[in-house]
Amino acid sequence: MTRHHPEKPLLSTEPKGSVTQPTIGETFKTKYPAASPRAKKITSLLLAHICKDLRPYNVVENEVFRELLEECEPRYTIPTRHYITEIAMPRLYAEVKNNVVEYIAYANRVAITCDAWTSRATQSYITVTYFLVCVMDEWGLKDKDPVLVTDNAGNMAIAAEIAKLLHIRCFAHTINLSAERALKTPTVSRLLGRIRQIVTFFRKSTTASHVLQQKQKLLNMPGHKLMSDVQTRWNSAFDMLERFLEQQPAVCAALLSPEVRKNAKELWTLTEADIACAEDAAAALRPLKVATLVMSEEKTPTVSVVAPLISQLSQGAVVKTSDSAVTRDIKHAIAEDLGKRYPDKTFLRMASALDPRFKALPFLSEEEQDNTFTIVATEAARMSEKNEDITPIQEPADPEVGEPPCKRKDCALSDLFGETFSLPKRQDCQKMSPYNQAMNEVRGYREAEPIELSGTSVAAERVFSTAGDIVTAQRSVLKPEHVDQLLFLNKNLPKRYKL
């Protein structure tokens, strides 16, 4: 160029202060703005990780965790612990809480399961009477005709009475009390003590445990470990007893082996009479275990099952002439304890009558069946009259159809009887009294929906079990409001939450 155009100055190849295009490496070093969609999504997943996986707030300060996020997404700025604690988590809590309140607003009736719990820091997470009043105001439950389900504690019953709520005692807790009383009978208590001693020996001795495994293989038995009981859960004693009976031949063979005998000179196997006693005790307690499993279900309503179970367990506790002494003692203890529970079964019988599985009420006499359905009809009529003054939301009529047909009001009766409450003719809605309407539907009742209430407070106890995993020894100084937020989000945050 210089040789052919000497008059033209040579252009400099150096940049003249203009902004240079960043390299690929420099581009990936640029951090995302906090309001960018990518940063917000990562932050929401970080909050879900803390809530769902029960991680501490200071996980964002852990060195390896920060290195992991830096490696996965170098452009993401990890939020500080203060931001997570004071800004992000309360904001997420408020958002999810609003969603739950909107969801509850569609319900005609709600059940509140209530329990008390004290953390390691001796912080109580429920003050009974004040809690009931405040929670109904906070979540908009006062007009939902709430039902309170608690254990058999006296303070819970007083709180329900003060708050003027229908109170249902947790049937799973009632079963637990009856079973504990049966386990305290002298014969059963002595038997469990001896089994507990043998189980503890095998769990602590590596030699005995190894010999037991060898005997299980030799006898072609399942390689199950022996189970120990927990004082606060009666079904753990039943599981220990049942597992011991299952492994009894292997246990007996292991205890008779020389290498085990030299370390357990004062430990003797059970006699044939003890084994027979254990089998009778397990058979007598098995109905209570099955009933506990049924009542511990959370996904389906259980209040309609309570009355049939009480009747079945009471009939099963009737002493027979062929029963052994230990069976008679267990049945007597169960019958005596169950007999003083649930003095008023009116609501429980109504729930069973409105469950298609139990609507025949075979556990009641004909007179009691008629009385139950009469009470159902009376209550339904009362609710119908109560809702007559409520003006329903009128939907716009379809111009091609003309005047819309008669529509019944949205009341509790529709929840109890389902579609069978729909009356075919408009004049019937005007001529029949609410009581006659209810009686007519009771007579034609075929496929009613069950009352969707829980008969146990198991759900509340499981919530506090999770709370124990949050307020650990290392996190005992967590503020109560932070515990409330973490516990609520752990149970209510959707699995695939997005901001």
Side-chain angles (χ1 to χ4, degrees):
M1 290 292 293
T2 305
R3 183 165 57 88
H4 291 284
H5 300 280
E7 71 282 3
K8 299 293 184 183
L10 183 64
L11 295 177
S12 174
T13 58
E14 297 295 329
K16 297 182 178 181
S18 60
V19 179
T20 60
Q21 182 177 358
T23 63
I24 295 178
E26 292 174 344
T27 301
F28 281 100
K29 289 181 181 179
T30 304
K31 296 292 186 179
Y32 288 120
S36 66
R38 177 65 174 168
K40 292 173 68 176
K41 182 177 180 180
I42 297 176
T43 302
S44 68
L45 292 176
L46 175 59
L47 296 176
H49 167 63
I50 293 175
C51 297
K52 288 292 187 180
D53 297 337
L54 304 178
R55 306 308 302 161
Y57 287 129
N58 64 356
V59 68
V60 296
E61 299 175 348
N62 292 351
E63 181 180 354
V64 178
F65 180 79
R66 297 181 67 89
E67 291 178 358
L68 173 64
L69 287 184
E70 181 69 24
E71 182 67 25
C72 295
E73 183 50 272
R75 302 181 64 184
Y76 176 67
T77 302
I78 303 175
T80 63
R81 176 180 177 179
H82 179 270
Y83 175 81
I84 294 291
T85 306
E86 303 298 335
I87 300 176
M89 198 64 72
R91 183 169 57 196
L92 177 62
Y93 171 78
E95 182 177 344
V96 177
K97 178 181 176 181
N98 290 335
N99 294 337
V100 174
V101 171
E102 292 177 0
Y103 181 80
I104 293 176
Y106 290 99
N108 290 323
R109 194 171 196 179
V110 297
I112 305 174
T113 56
C114 190
D115 198 4
W117 179 71
T118 303
S119 69
R120 289 175 176 266
T122 64
Q123 176 68 46
S124 176
Y125 283 85
I126 174 174
T127 306
V128 180
T129 306
Y130 177 77
F131 165 81
L132 290 176
V133 176
C134 290
V135 75
M136 289 190 294
D137 291 337
E138 181 179 359
W139 296 92
L141 302 179
K142 277 194 171 182
D143 59 342
K144 302 298 181 182
D145 197 11
V147 178
L148 181 64
V149 184
T150 71
D151 57 20
N152 290 265
N155 57 351
M156 295 294 183
I158 295 175
E161 183 178 355
I162 294 176
K164 298 181 180 179
L165 296 176
L166 176 61
H167 183 214
I168 299 179
R169 297 178 183 271
C170 172
F171 190 59
H173 187 256
T174 299
I175 295 175
N176 186 72
L177 296 176
S178 301
E180 285 183 348
R181 184 165 183 176
L183 295 178
K184 291 179 181 179
T185 56
T187 305
V188 178
S189 179
R190 181 188 65 85
L191 177 65
L192 291 178
R194 297 191 63 180
I195 294 177
R196 189 179 301 112
Q197 183 182 9
I198 296 174
V199 171
T200 303
F201 170 73
F202 277 98
R203 292 176 67 90
K204 289 184 177 181
S205 174
T206 56
T207 301
S209 179
H210 178 68
V211 173
L212 178 61
Q213 294 176 4
Q214 291 180 332
K215 299 302 181 182
Q216 288 173 337
K217 294 179 180 179
L218 184 63
L219 297 172
N220 196 23
M221 299 183 64
H224 297 158
K225 293 184 178 181
L226 298 179
M227 302 173 66
S228 58
D229 60 339
V230 180
Q231 186 177 4
T232 56
R233 291 292 180 267
W234 83 268
N235 51 341
S236 63
F238 175 82
D239 293 337
M240 179 184 70
L241 179 61
E242 199 168 45
R243 179 60 58 83
F244 181 84
L245 289 174
E246 175 195 89
Q247 298 294 328
Q248 192 273 331
V251 171
C252 182
L255 289 175
L256 294 176
S257 62
E259 56 268 37
V260 174
R261 295 299 301 170
K262 65 181 181 180
N263 296 324
K265 297 180 180 180
E266 298 181 357
L267 191 64
W268 299 94
T269 58
L270 301 184
T271 64
E272 293 185 3
D274 292 332
I275 298 299
C277 180
E279 292 175 346
D280 292 340
L285 293 171
R286 188 168 289 109
L288 296 183
K289 175 62 182 296
V290 176
T292 301
L293 295 177
V294 171
M295 295 306 300
S296 298
E297 177 63 43
E298 288 188 40
K299 295 183 179 179
T300 57
T302 55
V303 68
S304 60
V305 188
V306 175
L309 276 181
I310 292 176
S311 177
Q312 183 176 356
L313 293 177
S314 299
Q315 293 178 4
V318 176
V319 177
K320 302 178 182 178
T321 55
S322 58
D323 290 338
S324 63
V326 63
T327 302
R328 288 196 298 269
D329 292 342
I330 292 176
K331 287 185 175 182
H332 179 73
I334 294 174
E336 186 176 350
D337 191 82
L338 281 179
K340 62 183 180 181
R341 311 289 179 182
Y342 301 101
D344 185 7
K345 301 182 180 66
T346 302
F347 181 82
L348 300 179
R349 292 175 177 177
M350 290 173 59
S352 300
L354 295 168
D355 190 327
R357 299 171 297 176
F358 310 111
K359 63 181 180 181
L361 302 178
F363 53 91
L364 299 179
S365 63
E366 287 190 15
E367 182 180 358
E368 290 174 329
Q369 293 173 7
D370 294 339
N371 291 339
T372 299
F373 279 108
T374 300
I375 295 174
V376 169
T378 304
E379 181 67 13
R382 183 189 66 81
M383 292 181 177
S384 179
E385 291 176 344
K386 181 180 179 181
N387 285 274
E388 282 183 353
D389 296 332
I390 300 177
T391 303
I393 299 176
Q394 298 293 338
E395 297 182 1
D398 192 338
E400 298 181 359
V401 177
E403 184 180 359
C406 174
K407 293 185 179 180
R408 58 181 173 85
K409 298 179 178 61
D410 185 16
C411 63
L413 189 62
S414 61
D415 296 331
L416 300 180
F417 288 95
E419 296 301 324
T420 60
F421 185 61
S422 300
L423 297 178
K425 297 182 180 180
R426 181 165 186 160
Q427 56 268 28
D428 292 340
C429 298
Q430 298 174 348
K431 293 181 179 180
M432 296 180 65
S433 67
Y435 179 78
N436 290 334
Q437 291 179 29
M439 286 302 299
N440 183 53
E441 294 303 326
V442 169
R443 296 188 189 99
Y445 165 58
R446 289 295 182 271
E447 297 179 354
E449 294 292 333
I451 296 181
E452 297 187 353
L453 297 176
S454 174
T456 70
S457 60
V458 172
E461 295 185 8
R462 287 174 176 165
V463 168
F464 282 133
S465 296
T466 304
D469 295 331
I470 294 176
V471 188
T472 61
Q474 292 79 14
R475 306 173 68 190
S476 59
V477 295
L478 270 176
K479 295 181 179 179
E481 57 266 26
H482 292 160
V483 176
D484 291 340
Q485 294 172 5
L486 289 173
L487 189 57
F488 174 80
L489 292 173
N490 177 267
K491 297 299 182 181
N492 295 279
L493 189 67
K495 292 184 179 179
R496 297 294 296 174
Y497 179 77
K498 295 182 181 180
L499 288 173

